[in-house]
């Protein structure tokens, strides 16, 4: 880690430190609403990092990350409700189960040479199967939903991930910061270089002695594990779970937007993307309401237009351009 | 001296077409061995079987005393065979440095060693001025040298070069010949090359195998091979006399 820090250009270090300090201090001035928006920013930065690891670094398109999110959420919630096992422990059950799901999809895809968009279809299919399964599984409330207790005793038990927005804010901040550090470290590791090779040209990577199956699988295991942790957070933050919401393809799509807008395959892209998109979404809600345009779908239309404009202006993502403007040139891509 | 690479009556068929027909040859350590022949003679098929991209239908390929036929390309690379591609394929979005580092990682114990090895090879191939440039921004001769650098960074015992001269101008060909000669002389790396450019073959190879319709029709020193009537007939053309 210290070598990584030393490798980062000075302006990059200053920016990272300022950003972290701003997030740490934000609750001093932010009201409840702003905190809830910042929680979403951090949540999307975190899952964006997880997804970007698989797509941006290892080049494997997953449109079914809701699967790992949902598994993480349901495993931790079920352990808490049915067995009284708290989320800090439950997360260690959620991770291997989600990773196993990821490993199975990866094995199916890469063992049988299902590549590119076909691999993406496979990931969608598994998220959908699982949604249908949970819709009919009474143990977790089926389609009627699965609820975690609110208020009363659960209200202030940080040890069971119950509490006010500030608790969730700092947990999300820790997750996003930890994920960014992890990804930055992996990017400079031997494994990180192998991912880039496999992403750029799998055949050429093999000729350099890289076991492409193993490299992709490593990315899948880390990515699905990280996403499962976000699922645990999701379950205890929202405290209600519906298969139609958690496993929905919309869930998978929303978590890939921040890294795409911010810059695929970059360490800061998911953070920058989340910092742009979440406030943009909130602002659009406020604006359409104020203008009396609150017909269903209005926000989605403007949101879509805004995404198109950003992608049109910055096809490689906002971060590579922003890094250039700020004079931060990292050694790698 | 025992052969570094021994190909023994290897065949490969594609739907009835015998692309390679019971070809045998031995490549000694330190040798520069060329495979020539007209288009469709089976050169690339033979090459692909050595590199592990294709599995032979019959015959064996032995490298450093170990059977390698049917092994995966990455397993073969790990045993000490580096290769280049006929249509160059360096990692386009990555810098020259990162491209070569990835090759060097194969046998480096850590990133530091890989970086050191990469810089050494980049110097050797005169690419240092372009260290931070993305591979996609390089001109073809530089991309070819980059691909060579990447393969060399894996510290191969045997280097497979698939038409490394193709698309180069005569002066660039001479540069590449000089680079390969120097490599072979200083590091002792064994080279197996598939080549169309006879000028390069004559300047580099100590032994030449000629394929025609999948079969070996001649095997000898470059001087012997170009005088062989069967080779002149099938490949070089009568005017070469």
């Amino acid at each position: 880690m210290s070598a990584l820090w030393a490798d980062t250009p000075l302006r990059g270090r200053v920016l990272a430190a300022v950003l972290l300090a701003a997030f740490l201090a934000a609750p001093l001035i932010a009201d409840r609403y702003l905190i809830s928006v910042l929680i979403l920013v951090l949540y999307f930065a975190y899952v964006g990092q997880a997804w970007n690891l698989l797509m941006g670094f290892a080049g494997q398109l997953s449109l079914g990350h809701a699967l790992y999110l949902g598994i993480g959420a349901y495993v931790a919630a079920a352990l808490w409700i049915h067995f009284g096992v708290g989320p800090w422990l439950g997360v260690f059950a959620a991770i291997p189960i989600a990773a196993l799901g990821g490993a199975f999809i990866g094995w199916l895809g890469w063992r049988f040479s299902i590549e590119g968009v076909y691999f993406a279809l496979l990931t969608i299919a598994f998220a959908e199967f699982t949604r249908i399964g949970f819709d009919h599984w009474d143990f977790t409330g089926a389609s009627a939903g699965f609820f975690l207790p609110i208020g009363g005793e659960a209200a202030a038990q940080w040890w069971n991930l119950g509490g006010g927005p500030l608790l969730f804010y700092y947990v999300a901040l820790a997750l996003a910061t930890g994920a960014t550090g992890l990804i930055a470290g992996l990017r400079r590791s031997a494994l990180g270089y192998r991912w880039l090779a496999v992403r750029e040209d799998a055949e050429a990577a093999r000729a350099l002695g890289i076991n492409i199956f193993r490299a992709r699988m490593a990315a899948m295991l880390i990515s699905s594990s990280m996403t499962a942790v976000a699922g645990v957070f999701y379950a205890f933050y929202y405290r209600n779970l519906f298969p139609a919401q958690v496993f929905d393809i919309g869930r998978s799509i929303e978590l890939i937007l921040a890294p795409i807008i911010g810059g695929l395959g970059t360490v800061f892209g998911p953070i920058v993307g989340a910092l742009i998109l979440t406030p943009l979404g909130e602002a659009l809600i406020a604006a359409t309401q104020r203008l009396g345009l609150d017909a269903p779908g209005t926000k989605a239309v403007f949101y879509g237009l805004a995404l198109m404009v950003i992608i049109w202006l910055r096809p490689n993502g906002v971060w590579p351009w922003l890094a250039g403007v700020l004079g931060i040139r990292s050694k790698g891509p | 001296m025992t052969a570094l690479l021994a190909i023994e009556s290897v065949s490969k068929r594609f739907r009835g077409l015998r692309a390679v027909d019971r070809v045998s040859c031995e490549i000694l350590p330190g040798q520069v061995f060329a495979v020539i022949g007209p288009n469709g003679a089976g050169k690339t098929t033979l090459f692909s079987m050595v590199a592990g991209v294709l599995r032979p239908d019959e015959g064996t390929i032995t490298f450093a005393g170990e059977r390698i036929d049917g092994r995966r390309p990455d397993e073969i690379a790990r045993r000490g065979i580096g290769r280049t591609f006929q249509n160059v394929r360096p990692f386009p979005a990555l810098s020259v440095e990162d491209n070569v580092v990835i090759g060097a990682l194969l046998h480096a114990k850590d990133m530091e060693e890989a970086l050191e090895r990469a810089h050494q090879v980049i110097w050797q191939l005169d690419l240092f001025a372009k260290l931070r440039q993305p591979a996609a921004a390089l001109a073809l001769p530089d991309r070819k040298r980059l691909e060579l650098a990447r393969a060399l960074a894996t510290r191969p015992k045997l280097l497979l070069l698939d038409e490394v001269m193709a698309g180069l101008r005569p002066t660039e060909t001479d540069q590449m010949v000089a680079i390969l000669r120097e490599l072979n002389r200083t590091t002792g790396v064994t080279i197996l090359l598939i080549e169309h450019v006879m000028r390069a073959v004559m300047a580099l190879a100590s032994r030449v195998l000629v394929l025609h319709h999948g079969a070996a029709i001649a095997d000898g020193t470059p001087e012997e091979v170009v005088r062989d009537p069967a080779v002149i007939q099938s490949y070089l053309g009568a005017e070469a006399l």
Side-chain angles (χ1 to χ4, degrees):
Chain A
M1 271 325 263
S2 56
L4 180 74
W5 186 244
D7 258 10
T8 310
L10 181 65
R11 287 181 188 199
R13 278 183 262 173
V14 170
L15 181 79
V18 167
L19 196 63
L20 183 59
F23 269 112
L24 281 170
L28 293 175
I29 50 161
D31 61 6
R32 212 181 156 85
Y33 167 71
L34 193 55
I35 288 289
S36 75
V37 173
L38 288 176
I39 289 174
L40 279 182
V41 168
L42 292 166
Y43 163 83
F44 281 119
Y46 175 80
V47 286
Q49 292 288 19
W51 179 83
N52 191 38
L53 175 77
L54 187 60
M55 176 64 197
F57 292 117
Q60 300 300 303
L61 176 60
S62 165
L63 295 177
H65 258 50
L67 174 65
Y68 319 120
L69 190 79
I71 290 176
Y74 269 100
V75 168
L79 281 173
W80 172 230
I81 300 227
H82 292 300
F83 307 103
V85 177
W88 298 103
L89 221 69
V91 70
F92 292 103
I95 287 173
I97 295 172
L100 203 66
F104 184 65
I105 293 173
W107 176 80
L108 262 185
W110 302 320
R111 172 71 184 75
F112 298 102
S113 301
I114 300 167
E115 310 261 341
V117 286
Y118 300 101
F119 180 75
L121 286 180
L122 191 70
T123 62
I124 295 174
F126 272 86
E128 286 293 294
F129 296 157
T130 314
R131 177 181 63 79
I132 294 165
F134 272 91
D135 258 339
H136 296 90
W137 199 23
D138 290 327
F139 185 69
T140 54
S143 57
F146 199 37
F147 301 93
L148 280 77
I150 309 172
E153 264 185 46
Q157 293 184 328
W158 64 265
W159 58 96
N160 284 324
L161 209 53
L166 275 188
L167 171 73
F168 288 99
Y169 177 80
Y170 282 111
V171 169
L173 181 57
L175 284 176
T177 310
T180 305
L182 177 71
I183 301 284
L186 284 170
R187 164 66 187 83
R188 300 288 173 86
S189 72
L191 185 58
Y193 276 97
R194 288 193 188 106
W195 284 334
L196 296 182
V198 172
R199 178 192 77 188
E200 291 290 300
D201 187 332
E203 206 45 58
R206 272 152 72 97
L208 297 174
I210 296 171
N211 183 328
I212 55 176
F213 181 85
R214 219 183 277 171
R216 286 169 172 169
M217 193 54 100
M220 176 59 107
L221 291 175
I222 299 172
S223 181
S224 54
S225 298
M226 286 172 71
T227 311
V229 176
V232 177
F233 178 85
Y234 179 102
F236 283 78
Y237 181 53
Y238 289 111
R239 304 193 91 79
N240 61 70
L241 296 171
F242 296 92
Q245 282 179 9
V246 184
F247 291 103
D248 188 60
I249 183 158
R251 202 48 78 204
S252 296
I253 301 293
E254 72 178 9
L255 66 81
I256 79 178
L257 293 177
I260 291 176
I261 294 293
L264 272 179
T266 63
V267 174
F268 276 103
I271 302 171
V272 172
L275 277 169
I276 294 170
L277 291 180
T278 311
L280 175 72
E282 294 298 318
L284 280 173
I285 292 175
T288 47
Q289 275 173 356
R290 185 156 306 174
L291 294 170
L293 292 171
D294 39 8
T298 316
K299 180 222 159 188
V301 169
F302 283 106
Y303 193 69
L305 283 173
L307 291 187
M308 281 164 65
V309 170
I310 297 173
I311 288 172
W312 179 53
L313 290 174
R314 300 282 160 240
N316 293 321
V318 175
W319 171 245
W321 164 79
L322 189 63
V325 170
L326 296 174
I328 301 164
R329 274 184 55 82
S330 93
K331 279 176 62 183
Chain B
M1 203 163 20
T2 50
L4 180 64
L5 183 78
I7 297 173
E8 270 181 83
S9 61
V10 159
S11 297
K12 182 75 190 176
R13 277 176 299 271
F14 296 113
R15 292 198 188 139
L17 171 79
R18 268 185 181 272
V20 171
D21 190 7
R22 282 162 298 171
V23 169
S24 299
C25 62
E26 289 202 333
I27 297 164
L28 302 177
Q31 211 168 33
V32 179
F33 192 104
V35 179
I36 63 170
N39 284 328
K43 302 184 299 290
T44 296
T45 307
L46 183 67
F47 187 98
S48 300
M49 288 189 282
V50 177
V53 178
L54 293 174
R55 178 190 289 268
D57 296 328
E58 288 158 28
T60 62
I61 302 171
T62 312
F63 176 72
E66 190 191 359
R67 283 270 301 266
I68 57 162
D69 47 280
R71 292 226 175 251
R72 290 195 314 266
D74 54 300
E75 294 176 315
I76 286 174
R78 226 169 290 145
R79 281 166 176 73
I81 300 184
R83 72 166 291 185
T84 64
F85 291 88
Q86 195 173 336
N87 303 310
V88 281
R89 45 207 303 183
F91 305 122
L94 306 188
S95 66
V96 166
E97 185 181 47
D98 286 351
N99 261 277
V100 183
V101 163
I102 289 167
L105 277 169
L106 181 58
H107 290 303
K109 61 179 193 306
D110 54 30
M111 282 305 302
E112 209 173 315
E113 192 187 315
L115 203 62
E116 209 171 289
R117 170 72 184 156
H119 284 174
Q120 185 193 340
V121 178
I122 291 168
W123 263 119
Q124 210 169 2
L125 292 189
D126 201 19
L127 283 166
F128 216 86
K130 290 161 180 156
L131 196 64
R132 301 267 192 263
Q133 283 187 25
L138 301 179
L140 182 68
D142 286 341
R143 288 210 301 271
K144 294 219 161 199
R145 264 187 295 160
L146 174 56
E147 209 173 65
L148 185 60
R150 200 175 59 177
L152 277 175
T154 66
R155 299 183 184 276
K157 294 192 198 84
L158 172 67
L159 198 51
L160 304 178
L161 305 177
D162 193 352
E163 303 218 8
V164 75
M165 309 293 173
L168 296 186
R169 286 193 285 264
T171 49
E172 293 162 352
T173 303
D174 291 346
Q175 275 173 8
M176 188 58 104
V177 166
I179 288 171
L180 293 175
R181 252 203 184 138
E182 181 69 8
L183 272 175
N184 177 251
R185 196 180 58 80
T186 55
T187 67
V189 65
T190 311
I191 298 176
L192 168 59
L193 51 109
I194 286 183
E195 203 43 80
H196 259 307
V197 181
M198 281 310 286
R199 174 195 175 94
V201 172
M202 297 306 285
L204 269 175
S206 52
R207 203 166 177 89
V208 179
L209 175 77
V210 187
L211 292 184
H212 186 55
H213 291 318
I217 58 167
D219 183 354
T221 65
E223 292 75 21
E224 285 166 10
V225 162
V226 291
R227 268 186 260 115
D228 190 306
V231 176
I232 295 167
Q233 179 85 39
S234 67
Y235 180 46
L236 297 174
E239 73 270 25
L241 286 168

